[in-house]
Amino acid sequence: MKKLNSILLVEDDEATNFISQMIIKKLDCANHVQVAWNGADALDYLKQCNNAACQQPELILLDINMPGLNGWEFLDEYSKLKEEEKGKVVVVMLTTSLNPDDRKRADNNPAIAGFRCKPLTSAMMEEILSQYFLN
């Protein structure tokens, strides 16, 4: 399994972030995990990465419902970033949303590689890694 340099969790729930970080650490699949508590924080982080102030993520696990900029609003703003600020990143929505409109919207958004239901599990993380980051 490929070890990623950096994963960005865009999630406002502390417990969910804790679980996701535990799974990532258990699988030893990333050198660095960064948490952004909302879409605005995630955008700020990505802009900093362009200046080598942080580690550019290869994977973003994105929640939909967050205060400030939600997941959809984040994606709108993300699409406006310079290519070097976006980097080569895979965006996977990780959400509790059971709304079929959210699934359809995600399927129709070229920036979203996948749509998964929380919580992150070891099997789900292994699947994401094998699907998008084959050696």
Side-chain angles (χ1 to χ4, degrees), residues 66-115:
M66 296 175 286
L69 278 184
N70 67 32
W72 299 120
E73 294 163 334
F74 164 80
L75 288 168
D76 289 342
E77 295 302 314
Y78 175 79
S79 70
K80 299 173 188 173
L81 292 177
K82 298 173 191 168
E83 287 305 313
E84 58 270 15
E85 291 173 332
K86 289 181 188 178
K88 293 182 179 175
V89 67
V90 172
V91 178
V92 174
M93 287 206 123
L94 187 61
T95 181
T96 56
S97 175
L98 299 175
N99 184 340
D101 291 338
D102 284 335
R103 164 81 66 175
K104 185 176 179 180
R105 189 172 175 185
D107 289 344
N108 291 324
N109 188 322
I112 301 172
F115 189 95

Side-chain angles (χ1 to χ4, degrees), residues 2 4-6 46 56-60 78 82-91 132-133:
K2 178 181 177 182
L4 302 181
N5 187 43
S6 181
L46 292 171
Q56 183 77 36
E58 293 166 276
L59 174 64
I60 296 175
Y78 175 79
K82 298 173 191 168
E83 287 305 313
E84 58 270 15
E85 291 173 332
K86 289 181 188 178
K88 293 182 179 175
V89 67
V90 172
V91 178
Y132 304 110
F133 301 98

